[in-house]
Amino acid sequence: MTSTHGTNRDNPLEQLSLEQLRTRTSTKWVAHPDDVLPLWVAEMDVPLAPPVADRLRAAIDSGDTGYPSGRDYPRAVAAFAAQRWGWDGVTPENSAIVPDVMLGIVEALRLISDPGDAVVVCSPVYPPFYAFVTSADRRIVEAPLGDDRRLDLTSLEAAFTTALDSSARPVLLLCNPHNPTGVVHTRAELEAVVALARRYGVRVVSDEIHAPLVLPGAEFVPFLSVTGAEDGFALFSASKGWNLAGLKAALLVAGPGAVDDLARLPEEVSHGPSHFGEMAHVAAFEEGGAWLDALLAGLDANRTLLADLVAEALPETELKLPEATYLAWLDCRSLGLHEDGADQSIGVVSDLSGPAQFFLEKARVALSSGHVFGSGGNGFVRINYATSQANLREAVRRMAAALDR
Ligand SMILES: Cc1ncc(COP(=O)(O)O)c(C=O)c1O
């Protein structure tokens, strides 16, 4: 499916034309009519990385379509973590294959908390945190990020106090790096969070799905590598880095002080991931490094382009350059398009209100609506910039035109 459409032969973001992308049947491409430019859900407009495609093709050719063994995933993540992050905290003994990151989070919560217990999240944050935590019979307590969009110790301390008032075993669910702000937590920030969590007896589960997507200038710090984080859990996946959301598999990793908890993980959890999922994720972590580097270079260029386009065409809005991910969090509050109280649909990924609704209707650009990301999200939109530069230019042009710029 490659074409000469792109400007850079190695950049995965410049390989596919809009016409080619519109033949896709994934949620990003079927949710809206063809006149809408979809820059919402976290799927990338890239072809499959060749090592992943080759691994899957070989499996098809040899009829290797049985159950996953779970044997190779820890090995692949361990090698990637050692090479990219200088961290050797993943072993077959301290990890388990799970169906995907969200279900892995739910399983970790089941291991270390009880129904009714509080789960602290740093809002605004990935909307399914709300939906999955709630459907797992836990309660969300928000610890809003600071105005600088970074973790806020004062708000975390208040949330821990609230959580402990009503639950015996509260948990902090971290997003590292953070979706939707693209913030990469520093070691000093994580150390401060760990110290606070220990003081309050709060266990931590860290969602590290965006870790492979840390962009030049920032450094990813695995949560479990932080001193004092030994009784935590972390989740890894190739799903975001290599666009494998349709190929289900993820890895739940326990710190040394959580290995006994992991031993209680029900055996049936390992029945959820698919063999094709495990093979694809293993191929990505083992052999997808060069492809990932080309992607990161493309994303680095795109975040700068997007920031420039926004500064020029949408000057009332504010975009802080993301340090990771392909998601940009655009402050549209000064446009006056949102209403207070539009927080009924927190956690419902596809719900629209305020600026996202305006841009869909008037600009035919689909963005994620900030209000579903929890407190602090109303009046923002999240832009997925894992697309071609032509699409980014067209999206911002349409948005500015809709505002009569
Ligand atoms: C922070 C975060 N966690 C989890 C997921 C979903 O992962 P999975 O499909 O493996 O459950 C996403 C998807 O965008 C995400 O951004």
Side-chain angles (χ1 to χ4, degrees):
M1 280 264 289
T2 54
S3 77
T4 52
H5 168 79
T7 51
N8 177 344
R9 277 193 311 125
D10 296 330
N11 181 353
L13 299 163
E14 300 290 347
Q15 305 292 314
L16 300 172
S17 69
L18 206 43
E19 292 66 36
Q20 288 172 314
L21 289 163
R22 288 203 192 283
T23 66
R24 291 190 165 175
T25 56
S26 60
T27 189
K28 181 177 189 179
W29 293 97
V30 301
H32 299 287
D34 274 4
D35 65 326
V36 171
L37 257 184
L39 272 62
W40 63 292
V41 69
E43 297 178 18
M44 296 194 286
D45 297 347
V46 294
L48 196 53
V52 177
D54 290 347
R55 189 80 63 106
L56 294 176
R57 254 186 235 112
I60 289 170
D61 289 345
S62 68
D64 185 9
T65 54
Y67 294 111
S69 70
R71 183 197 60 179
D72 297 338
Y73 208 139
R75 222 165 41 201
V77 174
F80 187 86
Q83 199 217 337
R84 296 259 167 169
W85 310 321
W87 177 56
D88 63 357
V90 182
T91 65
E93 292 71 36
N94 73 358
S95 58
I97 186 169
V98 291
D100 57 29
V101 166
M102 288 316 302
L103 291 174
I105 288 171
V106 166
E107 293 302 335
L109 293 178
R110 289 205 174 108
L111 293 174
I112 59 173
S113 69
D114 298 302
D117 278 345
V119 175
V120 175
V121 300
C122 301
S123 62
V125 73
Y126 181 56
F129 276 17
Y130 292 83
F132 279 77
V133 165
T134 310
S135 70
D137 287 333
R138 271 65 176 168
R139 283 177 308 106
I140 289 280
V141 173
E142 293 185 321
L145 299 173
D147 288 339
D148 58 359
R149 305 185 179 182
R150 304 198 73 95
L151 296 173
D152 183 325
L153 286 183
T154 309
S155 104
L156 271 170
E157 185 156 16
F160 288 172
T161 305
T162 306
L164 275 165
D165 276 350
S166 55
S167 38
R169 301 205 291 165
V171 176
L172 167 63
L173 176 53
L174 261 191
C175 193
N176 178 36
H178 196 88
N179 170 3
T181 56
V183 160
V184 179
H185 311 310
T186 63
R187 186 168 293 278
E189 286 171 323
L190 292 174
E191 280 171 355
V193 168
V194 166
L196 192 68
R198 285 178 81 84
R199 184 137 56 84
Y200 280 81
V202 174
R203 302 277 296 270
V204 182
V205 176
S206 186
D207 174 344
E208 315 210 319
I209 195 170
H210 290 281
L213 292 170
V214 171
L215 298 169
E219 192 187 335
F220 173 67
V221 178
F223 178 76
L224 294 178
S225 74
V226 174
T227 308
E230 290 78 13
D231 67 352
F233 281 98
L235 286 121
F236 296 93
S237 170
S239 165
K240 295 299 114 181
W242 289 266
N243 203 42
L244 304 180
L247 289 155
K248 289 278 182 184
L251 196 71
L252 173 62
V253 181
V259 171
D260 289 349
D261 294 306
L262 187 67
R264 291 184 289 103
L265 189 72
E267 199 252 9
E268 63 269 21
V269 174
S270 68
H271 295 207
S274 86
H275 185 32
F276 267 47
E278 183 178 24
M279 282 189 287
H281 288 235
V282 167
F285 279 119
E286 279 182 354
E287 295 175 54
W291 187 92
L292 179 68
D293 287 337
L295 173 75
L296 293 175
L299 292 176
D300 187 19
N302 277 12
R303 67 176 167 166
T304 309
L305 174 71
L306 181 61
D308 291 348
L309 292 171
V310 163
E312 170 120 343
L314 303 167
E316 305 92 329
T317 67
E318 196 201 342
L319 186 146
K320 285 206 175 85
L321 220 53
E323 299 170 309
T325 78
Y326 46 81
L327 307 166
W329 189 231
L330 184 68
D331 185 349
C332 299
R333 285 174 299 179
S334 68
L335 297 177
L337 297 169
H338 65 291
E339 285 168 29
D340 287 342
D343 52 4
Q344 313 305 326
S345 309
I346 291 176
V348 184
V349 173
S350 58
D351 196 68
L352 288 181
S353 93
Q357 190 165 17
F358 172 85
F359 287 126
L360 179 61
E361 284 168 10
K362 306 284 188 232
R364 309 305 282 159
V365 176
L367 306 167
S368 298
S369 187
H371 76 291
V372 301
F373 291 76
S375 295
N378 197 12
F380 285 73
V381 294
R382 193 191 71 177
I383 304 178
N384 174 346
Y385 61 86
T387 190
S388 68
Q389 297 213 337
N391 287 349
L392 284 183
R393 288 182 201 282
E394 174 62 8
V396 176
R397 187 196 66 72
R398 289 187 192 190
M399 290 163 72
L403 288 164
D404 273 338
R405 298 289 180 273

